[in-house]
Amino acid sequence: MMRYVVAAVLALASTAAQAEIEIQEITSPGGINAWLVEEDAIPFVSLEIRIVGGSSLDRPGKRGAINLMTGLLEEGSGDMDARAFQTAREGLAASFGYDVRDDSFVLSFQALNENRDEALALFRQSIIDPTFDDVAVERVRSQVIAGIQRDAQTPNSIAGDAFFAAAFGDHPYGSDQSGTLESVEALTREDLLNAHADVLTRDRIFVGAVGDISADELAEVLDTLLGDLPTGAPDLPADVDFGLDGGITVVEYPTPQSVALFGHAGIERDDEDFFEAYVLNYILGGGGFESRLMYEVRERRGLTYGIGTYLVPKDHAEMVLGSVASDNNAIAQAIDVIRSEWARMAEEGVTPEELEAAKTYLTGEYPLRFDGNGEIAAILVGMQVQGLPADYVINRNDYVDAVTLEDVNRVAGELLDADALHFVVVGQPDGLQTSE
Amino acid sequence: MLRQLMAAGAMSTLGLTSAAADDVTTFTLDNGMEIVVIEDHRAPVVTHMVWYRVGSADEPVGVSGVAHFLEHLLFKATDDLESGEFSATVAANGGSDNAFTSYDYTGYFQRIAADRLELMMTMEADRMNDLILTPEDIETERQVIIEERNQRTESSANALAREQIRAAQYLNHRYGVPIIGWMHEMEQLQMQDTLDFYELYYSPNNAILIVAGDVEPEEVLALAETHYGVIPAEDNLPDRVRPEEPPQRAERRLIYEDPRVAQLYVTRSYLAQERDAGAQEEAAALVYLAEVLGGSSFTSVLGEKLTFENDIALFSGAGYGGVSLDATTFNLTVVPAEGVSLQEAEDAMDVALAEFMQEGVDPEQLERLRAQFRAAEIYARDNVAGIARRYGTALTSGLTVEDVQAWPDILQNVTAEDIMSAAERVFDRNQSVTAWVVRDKEEVIQ
């Protein structure tokens, strides 16, 4: 077993207080890599496992297959039906998580030391040997369909569907991973087996572990849990351009308050200007009460309860997105304010005071994220997926501090384009129409 | 979303457990302010919270929403801070802050590097007494809370249905009025309404300080004496006696119709005993009852009878939130499967309940739940801020530190007989509201 130790000292905003976490990089005898933080204060362990690919690997015409397959992993495996499986899990008081997103499939596991091996065996069975029996398939299919019907009545989901369909068309990013009523109804057991084979592979797997477990014990766990996963993952989807021009799309929906999802093309996570963009977004709309948009739209004008913007660097496309909700008679004004603040930021950039305040917050907040075994395990996995080294946790605040006013304002001019912003508005907005 | 409302009863039943008692230290200042210190030295971080024993159920009649409106206004100016400076200062020190309002409490908190604790206390003590509001603050922030109600309630058929159900459940108690307020009363809230509330209730003898994280109890006490200890107690603080429920003598039924309803469902709430100081056994039995009936969609009684043994329910569940100053509710919900009517779903739910009352609790299920409650106590130690919230909700809901610490053992000692006799008492249809939530009445009543 190979093993490195990186002592990562997390300095807080204060000079005195420091947190120390020690990240060990290990490789199991079977060749599975993982990052581990040993923490023996509480007798349990958290594992977070991410396999790159996710629901974007749905085969043509099979939208929703991977999502349905994921929902079925806890519904029967080995010689256990759904109830037998859940009865066993509950008796062990372990938590198993199965989740799928556009670009990754995520497994999470939490179990007490006293029955960790039994819990692992049960978790392994659900991953490696799911049954997909007819009764379970029909039950979960009906749950997924109910979710699709619910989304069709939820303003934020309606906005997201319209926005992403217009931005990405036939690329997987252009449709919801749950699929459509038609595509989900048509899925067969064979489709689920294919989905399982496409997603559950060891080619692009990343593991974070935190808790009361040694490196040797973890190595054994990795081989037991994941060693039987096959190689041969399908190709990832191609990169795709953000294909939506500036403008407004109104989707009529009977509700007193309109919701708007807005955005334009963004910046890649590994772009050399990413930290500048990150700080910029914090000041524009990412920073809660301290952001310009929150001040202008909520605090100063009372037009909304909340507004936020986000950098969204997905694996195959990048966006800057934002969302806001306002009364039907106020949403047009809110959009005017957003556009003009967007343009002002692109032209004038941030002030030295704003930059300093953002750096202090972002560097002070970073160590506060490391507050629980499950949270730390998820951070460790996220870093590996992004290709960051373990010592990133030491250097990350230096990257933030290295952002200069000149650079952040250059990036503001390059990244932000008020004319390119497209707003999808769901509701009955006064004075807004779909643009030509 | 920011500055959120916390619905009473939203607390997970799994995890109502405490830190090891030896990590918790309590003090009381001379002015009556209670202090709870929860030590966790794993990371140099602290959560600083001040909880007031006042919530929406303490509001005067006619000004619903004032408790929550005031919570928003506490981020405006004081004699020492400009409007917005509180949160900006927290952020500039790398921390995050927020606040929440419920029926029984209002709370303010910051999470920040442990050596910034004194700065947090300085600012929080300042806004306990020295808030300065302007007419513009009132006008703008009233619009914000109206937008909040639009977002959370008016835009959600389910939220509107829940409001109607609670209004029908409570005949006299203020739990029947929404935390955020009725829209027509929110629109009329005035500065004097908020100041009357503030001047009476925002006082050290009505507050609990909770500090959790990398701190030493004696240091917290010394800082608290300096910053909170100098604030005078409020002599006119009223006893916390709300209008009580009369005997509930008739079952209530309602149909809520909204074209935005995606899934029809039937839900029933029963008036239920809450956790009381020194008497938490009934509530502990009800926690188990909710889990036994509807906790797991796979292994609970309703899950088995309505989904696995019969194709009646797409989803079924049971819920009970025991931390409440006054009587709480026990809730059952069934979302019918395709082709099943609401009448059939409700009938099947009642048959399942009747069978359960005959069959009793499966001993193996009871032991699994016991193991899960025990494990939840271990997992809970990973989240010291969660433990801080548990003390805050308990101490503002009529419970004591001793009650919080006794709770895990009380849960472990619940028997099948306790659960069944609690079920006998709580399932009284005369104290219940049954609601059908539908898209179109004509479709379901034929």
Side-chain angles (χ1 to χ4, degrees):
Chain A
M1 187 187 69
M2 296 189 300
R3 177 172 163 184
Y4 313 88
V5 176
V6 176
V9 179
L10 297 169
L12 284 172
S14 76
T15 48
Q18 291 194 323
E20 192 164 328
I21 67 164
E22 191 178 280
I23 300 173
Q24 303 177 51
E25 301 185 47
I26 73 165
T27 302
S28 72
I32 308 267
N33 298 313
W35 289 9
L36 165 66
V37 172
E38 282 189 60
E39 166 57 68
D40 62 6
I42 310 172
F44 78 98
V45 69
S46 295
L47 296 180
E48 178 96 353
I49 298 159
R50 209 183 289 182
I51 305 175
V52 171
S55 60
S56 292
L57 297 177
D58 267 335
R59 296 184 179 192
K62 303 296 181 188
R63 195 56 167 155
I66 289 171
N67 178 66
L68 181 59
M69 179 278 292
T70 305
L72 278 158
L73 294 178
E74 61 173 353
E75 295 268 347
S77 49
D79 58 5
M80 297 178 179
D81 67 8
R83 281 188 287 177
F85 178 79
Q86 295 294 342
T87 300
R89 185 193 61 76
E90 289 165 13
L92 296 166
S95 301
F96 303 163
Y98 314 85
D99 190 21
V100 68
R101 308 164 190 170
D102 282 349
D103 292 323
S104 61
F105 174 83
V106 185
L107 295 166
S108 26
F109 171 88
Q110 179 177 282
L112 301 177
N113 285 2
E114 62 193 63
N115 55 28
R116 188 172 71 211
D117 288 346
E118 288 165 86
L120 277 165
L122 193 64
F123 192 47
R124 177 188 177 283
Q125 172 188 302
S126 70
I127 300 165
I128 306 289
D129 190 21
T131 318
F132 303 127
D133 73 71
D134 289 346
V135 176
V137 169
E138 292 317 313
R139 186 174 54 249
V140 179
R141 191 200 307 270
S142 66
Q143 291 164 357
V144 170
I145 285 171
I148 293 170
Q149 289 166 336
R150 193 167 51 238
D151 285 350
Q153 300 287 332
T154 306
N156 281 317
S157 301
I158 297 168
D161 284 352
F163 189 95
F164 296 118
F168 297 114
D170 292 337
H171 191 278
Y173 291 169
S175 59
D176 191 281
Q177 66 175 6
S178 295
T180 63
L181 294 178
E182 296 72 32
S183 73
V184 173
E185 289 286 7
L187 293 172
T188 64
R189 186 165 185 278
E190 187 185 352
D191 295 329
L192 296 170
L193 292 170
N194 286 337
H196 184 259
D198 289 345
V199 171
L200 275 292
T201 63
R202 58 185 286 178
D203 308 71
R204 301 182 288 242
I205 198 163
F206 299 91
V207 181
V210 181
D212 192 7
I213 188 169
S214 71
D216 289 331
E217 288 168 330
L218 177 61
E220 201 179 312
V221 164
L222 295 174
D223 284 342
T224 307
L225 190 62
L226 306 171
D228 289 339
L229 287 178
T231 56
D235 290 342
L236 296 171
D239 289 353
V240 59
D241 288 331
F242 182 85
L244 191 51
D245 294 331
I248 287 178
T249 303
V250 174
V251 181
E252 282 287 330
Y253 187 76
T255 177
Q257 189 186 47
S258 293
V259 303
L261 177 65
F262 55 94
H264 59 43
I267 182 168
E268 290 185 38
R269 177 63 185 81
D270 55 6
D271 192 292
E272 60 183 16
D273 288 332
F274 184 80
F275 276 97
E276 283 75 9
Y278 186 72
V279 172
L280 175 70
N281 177 64
Y282 172 83
I283 297 167
L284 175 64
F289 282 101
E290 307 322 308
S291 78
R292 280 194 189 179
L293 289 176
M294 194 70 132
Y295 177 73
E296 294 292 338
V297 184
R298 170 172 160 154
E299 296 297 300
R300 228 179 120 192
R301 296 182 176 85
L303 297 175
T304 189
Y305 172 56
I307 180 168
T309 62
Y310 323 89
L311 296 183
V312 183
K314 296 165 90 76
D315 286 4
H316 310 291
E318 307 77 44
M319 292 170 277
V320 185
L321 294 181
S323 63
V324 68
S326 281
D327 194 280
N328 281 330
N329 64 28
I331 187 76
Q333 191 192 349
I335 287 174
D336 282 345
V337 175
I338 293 164
R339 277 189 172 136
S340 75
E341 287 303 315
W342 212 271
R344 181 165 76 95
M345 184 67 98
E347 282 161 30
E348 301 172 11
V350 308
T351 67
E353 295 74 28
E354 285 174 321
L355 179 59
E356 275 320 296
K359 286 181 179 178
T360 325
Y361 173 76
L362 293 170
T363 54
E365 172 271 343
Y366 184 63
L368 304 189
R369 297 181 192 176
F370 292 73
D371 76 329
N373 290 356
E375 286 76 9
I376 297 172
I379 292 170
L380 298 182
V381 166
M383 288 167 56
Q384 293 174 75
V385 170
Q386 287 166 14
L388 299 169
D391 64 3
Y392 175 82
V393 296
I394 307 171
N395 299 324
R396 184 266 190 192
N397 277 353
D398 292 340
Y399 300 142
V400 174
D401 280 330
V403 169
T404 67
L405 189 68
E406 188 186 358
D407 282 339
V408 77
N409 289 342
R410 171 182 55 79
V411 170
E414 292 167 3
L415 180 65
L416 302 177
D417 181 354
D419 294 334
L421 276 181
H422 195 99
F423 294 79
V424 171
V425 183
V426 178
Q428 295 166 312
D430 289 351
L432 283 181
Q433 290 168 5
T434 298
S435 49
E436 293 301 309
Chain B
M1 199 35 77
L2 299 157
R3 294 195 186 145
Q4 69 268 39
L5 291 158
M6 256 157 102
M11 298 294 156
S12 162
T13 48
L14 281 174
L16 287 167
T17 52
S18 69
D22 55 353
D23 293 336
V24 178
T25 312
T26 59
F27 305 101
T28 305
L29 297 180
D30 290 343
N31 59 13
M33 189 167 182
E34 280 187 54
I35 302 173
V36 179
V37 182
I38 304 159
E39 290 178 74
D40 177 358
H41 299 286
R42 291 182 299 161
V45 175
V46 69
T47 299
H48 170 254
M49 312 181 105
V50 170
W51 296 68
Y52 293 97
R53 286 189 173 93
V54 68
S56 65
D58 300 294
E59 294 165 344
V61 170
V63 290
S64 63
V66 72
H68 170 251
F69 189 25
L70 178 61
E71 175 227 303
H72 276 237
L73 294 169
L74 246 72
F75 293 83
K76 303 299 182 188
T78 69
D79 58 341
D80 292 332
L81 294 172
E82 292 175 23
S83 183
E85 191 178 346
F86 191 108
S87 294
T89 305
V90 175
N93 282 275
S96 56
D97 73 321
N98 219 320
F100 46 82
T101 306
S102 187
Y103 298 104
D104 295 325
Y105 53 79
T106 311
Y108 301 83
F109 70 92
Q110 304 86 38
R111 194 162 167 276
I112 199 158
D115 66 348
R116 304 301 157 92
L117 177 60
E118 182 165 16
L119 178 60
M120 298 303 108
M121 283 197 192
T122 308
M123 295 196 297
E124 196 65 78
D126 174 45
R127 70 175 171 179
M128 190 181 290
N129 254 13
D130 292 339
L131 194 62
I132 298 172
L133 297 177
T134 68
E136 294 72 37
D137 290 336
I138 298 295
E139 293 305 315
T140 312
E141 203 62 28
R142 192 195 294 118
Q143 280 310 116
V144 171
I145 58 169
I146 287 170
E147 289 294 351
E148 183 175 355
R149 184 179 160 91
N150 275 333
Q151 183 172 326
R152 292 179 179 281
T153 310
E154 304 289 341
S155 297
S156 165
N158 289 337
L160 288 168
R162 275 195 300 276
E163 258 184 12
Q164 296 298 312
I165 293 165
R166 284 190 73 92
Q169 177 73 72
Y170 291 97
L171 302 173
N172 198 40
H173 195 283
R174 287 284 292 195
Y175 287 165
V177 176
I179 299 166
I180 198 163
W182 297 117
M183 186 69 101
H184 68 287
E185 293 186 351
M186 294 169 70
E187 288 168 348
Q188 300 301 323
L189 288 173
Q190 303 300 322
M191 184 188 292
Q192 197 55 49
D193 300 323
T194 65
L195 291 178
D196 289 347
F197 208 73
Y198 177 66
E199 283 158 13
L200 186 59
Y201 290 114
Y202 280 56
S203 312
N205 47 328
N206 198 38
I208 300 150
L209 169 67
I210 300 184
V211 178
D214 189 16
V215 291
E216 298 298 333
E218 294 301 328
E219 290 170 21
V220 172
L221 176 60
L223 291 172
E225 280 173 338
T226 303
H227 297 286
Y228 293 109
V230 295
I231 304 172
E234 168 61 58
D235 295 332
N236 296 319
L237 191 66
D239 285 340
R240 237 181 150 190
V241 180
R242 279 96 168 249
E244 285 181 38
E245 280 297 296
Q248 297 199 351
R249 303 181 199 275
E251 173 180 9
R252 279 133 281 160
R253 300 187 64 87
L254 56 92
I255 299 177
Y256 178 74
E257 180 187 47
D258 191 318
R260 299 170 298 179
V261 169
Q263 253 121 35
L264 318 189
Y265 59 93
V266 54
T267 184
R268 185 182 296 148
S269 78
Y270 296 89
L271 205 61
Q273 170 77 46
E274 77 281 10
R275 283 169 65 182
D276 281 330
Q280 304 185 87
E281 287 74 10
E282 180 83 357
L286 289 171
V287 166
Y288 275 89
L289 180 65
E291 290 294 319
V292 166
L293 286 178
S296 157
S297 55
F298 297 96
T299 61
S300 67
V301 169
L302 292 177
E304 294 209 344
K305 291 182 185 292
L306 302 184
T307 298
F308 283 89
E309 289 167 14
N310 295 289
D311 198 11
I312 297 288
L314 184 69
F315 167 83
S316 59
Y320 168 74
V323 182
S324 179
L325 187 60
D326 300 313
T328 182
T329 60
F330 188 99
N331 305 293
L332 301 170
T333 299
V334 176
V335 181
E338 184 76 32
V340 176
S341 73
L342 283 175
Q343 188 64 59
E344 288 166 333
E346 184 181 342
D347 291 346
M349 178 176 89
D350 283 324
V351 169
L353 283 184
E355 288 173 357
F356 168 71
M357 297 308 292
Q358 292 296 317
E359 294 161 2
V361 179
D362 170 11
E364 291 181 8
Q365 187 191 14
L366 181 58
E367 287 318 304
R368 286 197 305 274
L369 289 171
R370 220 187 286 286
Q372 288 177 64
F373 285 127
R374 191 177 57 77
E377 192 177 354
I378 297 171
Y379 294 135
R381 287 164 52 198
D382 198 32
N383 181 359
V384 69
I387 294 171
R389 280 195 300 278
R390 254 168 245 149
Y391 277 92
T393 53
L395 299 187
T396 49
S397 303
L399 299 170
T400 65
V401 168
E402 292 71 32
D403 292 319
V404 175
Q405 294 176 348
W407 179 247
D409 283 340
I410 292 172
L411 274 180
Q412 285 302 306
N413 290 323
V414 170
T415 65
E417 292 70 36
D418 295 337
I419 297 168
M420 295 314 294
S421 59
E424 292 278 359
R425 281 185 288 273
V426 79
F427 291 138
D428 175 354
R429 289 285 282 268
N430 283 341
Q431 302 199 59
S432 76
V433 180
T434 304
W436 290 10
V437 179
V438 304
R439 216 172 357 246
D440 180 354
K441 279 183 196 175
E442 301 303 319
E443 279 178 28
V444 294
I445 306 165
Q446 283 151 359

